[in-house]
Amino acid sequence: MPLTERIEAHPWHYDGRNANRWTPLLVGDVETFTLKGEGWDAGPYCWADLIALDAPAGEHVFGLKDEQGWRLGFPGALPEDLAALLPKPARYGGFIDRIGLGRASAVLAMAAAAVVFVGVKAPGWIAPLVPQSWEDTMGDAMAGDFGGRICHTKEGTPALRALVRQLDPHGTARSIEVANIGMVNAVALPGRRIVLFRGLVEQAESPDEVAGVLGHELGHVRHRDTLTAMMRQLGLSVVLGGMDGSTGSQVNAVLGLSFSRDAEHQADLAAIDAMRASGISPVPTAAFFARMGGEEAPAKAKGKAKSTTQPGRSIEALDWFASHPSSTSRQQLFANAAEKGRRYRPALAADQWQALQKICSADKAVKPGFDFGF
Amino acid sequence: MEEQQHSAFGFDGSWKGYAPIAFTNLLLMIVTLGIYRFWATTRTRRYLWSHSRFIDDRLEWTGTGKELFLGFLMVILILGLPFFILQFGARALVMRGHAGIAGLLGFASFLVIFYFVGIARFRALRYRLGRTYWHGIRGGSDDAGWSYGWSYMWKTIVGMMAIYLLVPRAMMSLWNERWNAMSFGPHAFESKGDYRPAFKRYLMFYLLPLIILGCGIVFAMFVGVGSIMMGGGAPGGSPIGALLGVLFGVGIYGLFLFIGLSFYAIFIREAVGGLSLATLTFAFDASTKDWVKLFLGDIALVIGTLGIGAIFLQYRHWKFFITHLEAYGDIDLDRLTQSDTKLSKHGEGLLDALDVGAF
């Protein structure tokens, strides 16, 4: 190693202690250098401790490790011996500079696609592995007893049980109840719990319509869709947290939408299966969707339904399943599921149906309904 | 150092020089799902700072993408996670019928966010000064901004009382409080901005609705008469009437914007004009016309490029800021020694996470 190779240069220099601009003589070898000013010496410094910084065209500026404000600048082109000792400035940062922008972009794009794919799919893989008891505990913690808004009557409760026995003979759901809430809707909560809203029971024109909706929610419970959706919401908000708030949440909403449409469709199929098994006609459910999709529905839906355009999605606080497939396609699905020549019977006898419809209005102890959405 | 003939501040960047940075930043942000934006911000600032001259030397940005990223992660962990859990808790409370408690929780978290927005603004300024070097010297502050957070909260709330009449006063008071806590090298900034010169223009906000109401009545009469003349009051109204209606709406929006900009022009002029650092005083000479031009230029740029032009907004705003900034006085380079304020290890994560603009 030529230790004696002498290097000389005339840089400008800030020492980081005051704002004076010095013009010392730089004297060094291949390892270190010293700065010699008028009446002062500084160094020796190691070339290896220099950090390349941005500089205007035709200039080269360096900082020194762990020394704030210390700068060394070389105006004009660098002599070759000096250039070999000085570090190169970073451009994009990190590994992108090492492998090049084009290749780095391709690698990163693939990684991003993989992250999004896993982010969308993983909840569906993980949800079935979560112990059911955990989900049950969480569901109970979240919903409790609905603040005393679950309706019970001597006649209505057995009627509900009778309906449940037909659609869920094996007891997939832990509880199926009617809540004193005016909206025309039903929800599958985490922990195998289904809540039908008073608005739905009262607005339905036959027990078969309620059976269709109940079958649908049972499909969600069976597929553990609620847990999946909650996990996806959590996962996506973490993955997309790197984006600007608005972009991230928009992407989040779109991805959530496409996923839950599939889940909704599967739940509809489950409802049709359950109805077929218990001999309940799917045609009234189709009529129900036709009414819900039609324009007369909002006017008919009394009570506290807030949304006037889409009565099927009026619960803001329970928006995990806010994105159902269009009413028309669902209507067709149920209408086409009717088997020709099969004799269907009503899901409930007339007196049972009457009792179920009055389960909330006849319950004197139940607390009044409330509005979601905050 | 003798006083310069020309402006003490100058900007010699060009959009062509910045374009490679802007476009590669956009590309890398897309392929990293936005995570690169911390490094993108750093690259942009390094370009802008290094093309900004103060007297005889350029500014230097020494912040890093990594510290911005870490700052962001920290905030997500410290603030984001509890809020996410709180959100689920609030849902559960509503479902259990405790809407009142859920509402209280929501209000409490709103207050906490409010407080942190104030701190975020303060810390962003502190961070930016701490990472800005000139002649090897940087700025900073030893104040962490905790008390500024309170000031921000109560001054904003008081400002909104009395039909928002105290807003300019609160804004200027907060500006002064922020800058009075900052320093560069060994010198503390002194900020004595006065809100009063801008107040007359602020009052225009209150006058304008009355003028609009008057115009609206005249306009309605005109359209009414017009449609009768054109054929007996067709239910849809005439297309000319509809067009005029749209123009009227845009005009109102434009007028409010104009008042806002004309107020802001004077406000910033006074705010920067009240700022001094040791023997230096500052000035900002952008007129309302300049602000309107900047704003219309922004709109034209973004719309004309279908949104892509937005990547040049930061460049435009910085250039506007530097070219209109002015400083007077002498600097004693011997006495401009290194700042001994504490440097925070993380960037403006709080600001980033809460999505509020600084400056």
Side-chain angles (χ1 to χ4, degrees):
Chain A
M1 199 160 63
L3 275 173
T4 48
E5 193 183 321
R6 184 181 157 89
I7 291 164
E8 265 193 34
H10 296 276
W12 56 259
H13 174 56
Y14 293 134
D15 59 14
R17 290 194 290 275
N18 66 42
N20 281 311
R21 188 182 176 106
W22 312 104
T23 45
L25 174 68
L26 180 153
V27 183
D29 55 31
V30 291
E31 295 283 327
T32 60
F33 63 90
T34 4
L35 300 174
K36 295 178 188 297
E38 283 174 35
W40 60 269
D41 271 16
Y45 304 105
C46 287
W47 295 108
D49 288 340
L50 293 185
I51 303 154
L53 302 171
D54 288 346
E59 229 184 343
H60 299 269
V61 182
F62 301 88
L64 185 66
K65 215 164 83 183
D66 301 326
E67 277 291 329
Q68 55 172 340
W70 191 100
R71 298 290 179 265
L72 199 59
F74 299 91
L78 285 174
E80 243 172 68
D81 54 344
L82 196 57
L85 297 168
L86 292 165
K88 304 271 173 292
R91 195 161 173 203
Y92 305 103
F95 80 102
I96 302 174
D97 287 331
R98 281 198 294 280
I99 68 173
L101 179 67
R103 219 180 293 173
S105 306
V107 169
L108 287 167
M110 279 189 282
V115 165
V116 170
F117 180 77
V118 170
V120 171
K121 291 287 177 190
W125 303 331
I126 300 167
L129 305 177
V130 174
Q132 187 64 57
S133 60
W134 293 9
E135 191 197 324
D136 294 349
T137 312
M138 183 177 73
D140 291 345
M142 280 184 67
D145 65 346
F146 254 67
R149 287 175 180 82
I150 300 298
C151 307
H152 301 279
T153 58
K154 217 163 64 196
E155 297 81 21
T157 308
L160 179 62
R161 295 288 141 247
L163 188 64
V164 168
R165 268 198 303 280
Q166 298 174 64
L167 289 157
D168 189 21
H170 305 296
T172 312
R174 282 166 67 228
S175 78
I176 297 174
E177 287 156 324
V178 181
N180 192 19
I181 295 164
M183 285 172 276
V184 184
N185 213 330
V187 288
L189 296 172
R192 297 181 286 168
R193 297 181 56 170
I194 293 172
V195 177
L196 306 172
F197 292 173
R198 191 192 73 212
L200 173 79
V201 177
E202 287 178 353
Q203 297 293 310
E205 290 183 357
S206 79
D208 298 2
E209 294 182 7
V210 178
V213 174
L214 184 55
H216 174 90
E217 300 305 329
L218 279 163
H220 283 319
V221 169
R222 216 162 281 148
H223 304 143
R224 303 189 75 177
D225 287 336
T226 309
L227 186 65
T228 308
M230 285 174 68
M231 286 169 68
R232 196 183 57 243
Q233 194 185 35
L234 176 70
L236 280 179
S237 63
V238 170
V239 168
L240 301 178
M243 287 198 189
D244 287 352
S246 55
T247 332
S249 57
Q250 276 165 21
V251 175
N252 201 335
V254 170
L255 291 176
L257 188 77
S258 67
F259 189 91
S260 68
R261 265 172 192 267
D262 183 48
E264 295 301 339
H265 182 65
Q266 295 302 323
D268 279 346
L269 294 180
I272 288 169
D273 279 347
M275 292 168 91
R276 183 177 293 145
S278 52
I280 300 171
S281 169
V283 177
T285 307
F288 177 72
F289 286 132
R291 290 210 309 284
M292 288 297 109
E295 286 197 31
E296 80 279 22
K300 283 180 82 176
K302 62 178 182 186
K304 296 199 168 106
K306 282 176 74 174
S307 163
T308 51
T309 48
Q310 287 162 291
R313 43 177 301 181
S314 42
I315 315 176
E316 300 300 329
L318 296 169
D319 55 3
W320 304 310
F321 288 104
S323 36
H324 285 77
S326 77
S327 284
T328 337
S329 65
R330 304 182 72 190
Q331 182 194 335
Q332 278 168 4
L333 183 71
F334 278 85
N336 294 340
E339 295 162 83
K340 274 192 186 137
R342 179 162 180 183
R343 287 174 64 90
Y344 290 109
R345 53 177 184 78
L348 290 176
D351 58 331
Q352 283 179 311
W353 171 232
Q354 241 179 356
L356 180 59
Q357 282 200 297
K358 285 187 193 150
I359 191 168
C360 288
S361 54
D363 185 348
K364 300 285 174 250
V366 74
K367 287 203 178 146
F370 56 93
D371 255 325
F372 285 108
F374 49 88
Chain B
M1 186 174 293
E2 70 181 279
E3 207 166 316
Q4 303 282 309
Q5 293 291 315
H6 307 291
S7 169
F9 286 96
F11 184 73
D12 66 356
S14 71
W15 72 266
K16 279 181 191 158
Y18 176 64
I21 293 175
F23 282 107
T24 50
N25 274 349
L26 181 66
L27 169 72
L28 286 167
M29 282 207 287
I30 291 171
V31 299
T32 56
L33 299 173
I35 293 170
Y36 187 76
R37 76 185 148 107
F38 306 102
W39 286 267
T41 302
T42 301
R43 285 183 68 212
T44 294
R45 285 193 190 151
R46 283 208 326 234
Y47 178 86
L48 296 177
W49 264 238
S50 71
H51 285 86
S52 303
R53 174 190 56 79
F54 177 57
I55 305 179
D56 65 337
D57 201 5
R58 55 211 178 83
L59 302 180
E60 186 189 339
W61 178 257
T62 61
T64 66
K66 197 167 121 188
E67 71 195 8
L68 285 179
F69 181 56
L70 289 180
F72 179 76
L73 283 187
M74 234 170 63
V75 172
I76 289 293
L77 222 65
I78 295 171
L79 274 185
L81 205 64
F83 271 93
F84 193 80
I85 293 165
L86 201 75
Q87 205 188 345
F88 268 82
R91 278 183 181 180
L93 280 170
V94 169
M95 270 193 266
R96 284 158 170 263
H98 302 294
I101 299 176
L104 265 180
L105 264 180
F107 184 67
S109 35
F110 164 76
L111 286 182
V112 171
I113 293 273
F114 199 172
Y115 176 61
F116 275 99
V117 166
I119 293 179
R121 294 203 160 183
F122 184 91
R123 291 204 172 180
L125 184 59
R126 183 180 75 154
Y127 171 71
R128 284 169 199 196
L129 278 169
R131 296 299 188 267
T132 300
Y133 280 77
W134 180 78
H135 273 238
I137 303 299
R138 67 170 173 85
S141 173
D142 271 329
D143 190 331
W146 299 113
S147 65
Y148 180 83
W150 289 116
S151 296
Y152 178 77
M153 221 153 106
W154 77 257
K155 283 178 184 169
T156 306
I157 290 169
V158 169
M160 284 190 281
M161 288 174 183
I163 52 165
Y164 290 85
L165 272 172
L166 296 174
V167 166
R169 188 176 184 165
M171 279 169 69
M172 191 61 88
S173 159
L174 287 168
W175 164 282
N176 287 337
E177 190 173 342
R178 234 168 24 235
W179 278 97
N180 277 326
M182 301 294 154
S183 62
F184 199 88
H187 309 302
F189 278 99
E190 208 176 320
S191 182
K192 290 191 228 161
D194 186 355
Y195 76 97
R196 280 170 297 190
F199 194 65
K200 248 189 233 163
R201 296 200 177 177
Y202 184 77
L203 285 178
M204 281 302 290
F205 275 121
Y206 297 81
L207 199 60
L208 188 62
L210 295 177
I211 296 171
I212 290 169
L213 192 70
C215 292
I217 292 169
V218 172
F219 170 74
M221 278 160 62
F222 170 75
V223 171
V225 171
S227 61
I228 291 166
M229 274 164 45
M230 287 169 104
S238 69
I240 297 167
L243 186 70
L244 282 174
V246 169
L247 282 178
F248 190 64
V250 171
I252 289 174
Y253 185 73
L255 270 175
F256 268 108
L257 206 73
F258 179 76
I259 292 177
L261 286 174
S262 72
F263 161 70
Y264 201 63
I266 300 227
F267 181 86
I268 288 292
R269 201 186 301 170
E270 289 300 317
V272 176
L275 204 58
S276 61
L277 179 73
T279 48
L280 275 183
T281 56
F282 296 90
F284 196 71
D285 66 5
S287 64
T288 304
K289 198 172 140 198
D290 295 323
W291 281 96
V292 170
K293 265 159 63 184
L294 174 75
F295 193 83
L296 293 180
D298 280 359
I299 293 178
L301 174 68
V302 172
I303 293 177
T305 57
L306 300 174
I308 300 283
I311 57 178
F312 284 98
L313 290 182
Q314 212 182 340
Y315 169 88
R316 275 176 60 79
H317 296 169
W318 178 261
K319 184 180 172 186
F320 180 81
F321 168 65
I322 287 292
T323 46
H324 287 290
L325 193 60
E326 189 53 87
Y328 306 97
D330 302 320
I331 299 174
D332 185 342
L333 291 178
D334 284 320
R335 294 178 65 185
L336 183 57
T337 52
Q338 189 57 278
S339 170
D340 57 4
T341 54
K342 225 177 106 203
L343 267 185
S344 58
K345 290 262 183 289
H346 47 83
E348 49 208 26
L350 200 55
L351 192 80
D352 220 42
L354 299 176
D355 204 22
V356 287
F359 183 64

